[in-house]
Amino acid sequence: MPVQDRYPNYIEDQRRFFDEKITEEWGSYISSDWDYSRNFEVQQLFRRVRPATVLNVGCGCGFQDILMAEYSFVERVDAIDYSEQSVSKANAEYPHPKVQRSVQDFSAFAPEKPYDLVVSFAVFEHFRDAHKYMDSCRRSCVKGGVVAICTPNRLRIDNFLRTLKGEQPVLSAIMHYKEYTAREIYRLGKEVGLKPLGYFGYGINQFVLFGRLFLAGLNTPQRMWAGYLLKPLATELCVLMRRD
């Protein structure tokens, strides 16, 4: 039975779900299209920030860790995840001398020294208490440093069209508690003392309009750049905020 079928509803503590998924379904983490997307988001992020120290919250399989560590200005990437099997698999598959990973629950995480960049990729949407998560990001970041939230866009193009028809947006995965717009993330950040710095979008979904299917023929690079150019309708957002 696929792991997802064992968990048909949202659960708040998802570490067992991800322990099982990364152990039993490692092949689902390997995809040339996904690799392109992950490279794209890191490249665009590091066009905007040049951190010496990075904290990756919810590192999962660890792929982004090594992408970030390859930049010459990055001295250290610390990566945490509360899924023990994810950290173990990440260390086995994607080791790097600049990367240190550990099993940590971010809600209780207290770094010895704050980081220049605190980033999460496809993590924020899983948490029920977004305010607490954002405050943990702020506390883990140096003054003048950057918090970056990479997350699905609640009003990506297919959801935007649903709202025009008076329908509710749908979540992109069962294990997501809530998805956000950039404006909503800015508002949460302001509540804990983070200043908006801008955001970029990437990826775009195919959609049906007037009975016709649009964007079905785009390849992955084209989808990434289309979402970048049409960021309010992009599939994914990366929202940057500064701790003053």
Side-chain angles (χ1 to χ4, degrees), residues 50 127 134 182 228 237:
R50 294 174 61 88
F127 283 82
M134 196 71 77
Y228 187 80
L237 303 173

Side-chain angles (χ1 to χ4, degrees), residues 63-81:
F63 192 87
Q64 284 102 335
D65 300 334
I66 61 171
L67 295 179
M68 294 187 289
E70 284 300 309
Y71 284 79
S72 60
F73 51 80
V74 173
E75 298 172 3
R76 188 177 84 251
V77 176
D78 288 350
I80 63 173
D81 201 297

Side-chain angles (χ1 to χ4, degrees), residues 76-159:
R76 188 177 84 251
V77 176
D78 288 350
I80 63 173
D81 201 297
Y82 70 177
S83 163
E84 183 176 351
Q85 293 303 317
S86 292
V87 171
S88 177
K89 193 71 170 177
N91 283 334
E93 298 291 337
Y94 300 119
H96 193 283
K98 288 199 239 177
V99 174
Q100 295 293 324
R101 301 184 182 95
S102 61
V103 180
Q104 302 274 357
D105 187 333
F106 190 46
S107 63
F109 182 66
E112 293 182 7
K113 292 183 179 180
Y115 297 85
D116 299 325
L117 171 66
V118 178
V119 62
S120 60
F121 300 97
V123 172
F124 186 60
E125 64 276 7
H126 291 263
F127 283 82
R128 186 184 297 272
D129 194 339
H131 185 277
K132 183 176 181 180
Y133 183 92
M134 196 71 77
D135 191 51
S136 295
C137 288
R138 180 195 61 81
R139 289 187 291 101
S140 300
C141 189
V142 299
K143 290 184 178 180
V146 173
V147 172
I149 304 289
C150 300
T151 189
N153 177 16
R154 182 170 61 82
L155 290 183
R156 54 192 173 272
I157 193 165
D158 43 335
N159 269 348

Side-chain angles (χ1 to χ4, degrees), residues 4 8 13 17 20 28 33 42 49 61-62 88 91-92 99-100 107 116 141 158 172-173 183 193 242 244:
Q4 183 62 73
D13 189 331
F17 170 80
E20 293 176 7
S28 67
D33 289 341
V42 170
V49 295
C61 72
S88 177
N91 283 334
V99 174
Q100 295 293 324
S107 63
D116 299 325
C141 189
D158 43 335
S172 58
R183 182 175 296 180
R242 186 180 302 282
D244 288 336

Side-chain angles (χ1 to χ4, degrees), residues 119-229:
V119 62
S120 60
F121 300 97
V123 172
F124 186 60
E125 64 276 7
H126 291 263
F127 283 82
R128 186 184 297 272
D129 194 339
H131 185 277
K132 183 176 181 180
Y133 183 92
M134 196 71 77
D135 191 51
S136 295
C137 288
R138 180 195 61 81
R139 289 187 291 101
S140 300
C141 189
V142 299
K143 290 184 178 180
V146 173
V147 172
I149 304 289
C150 300
T151 189
N153 177 16
R154 182 170 61 82
L155 290 183
R156 54 192 173 272
I157 193 165
D158 43 335
N159 269 348
F160 175 74
L161 293 174
R162 288 186 179 94
T163 66
L164 293 182
K165 294 186 290 185
E167 300 172 0
Q168 290 296 313
V170 298
L171 297 172
S172 58
I174 290 174
M175 287 301 167
H176 293 180
Y177 177 71
K178 185 176 180 180
E179 294 171 354
Y180 301 85
T181 64
R183 182 175 296 180
E184 290 166 342
I185 295 173
Y186 285 149
R187 184 166 61 246
L188 287 165
K190 286 180 180 179
E191 291 175 0
V192 302
L194 297 173
K195 179 181 177 180
L197 280 182
Y199 78 97
F200 61 91
Y202 49 105
I204 199 160
N205 291 341
Q206 62 185 26
F207 63 95
V208 176
L209 185 63
F210 305 123
R212 293 183 58 192
L213 181 63
F214 290 84
L215 305 184
L218 297 185
N219 60 30
T220 297
Q222 290 168 336
R223 288 185 184 279
M224 291 299 107
W225 284 106
Y228 187 80
L229 295 173

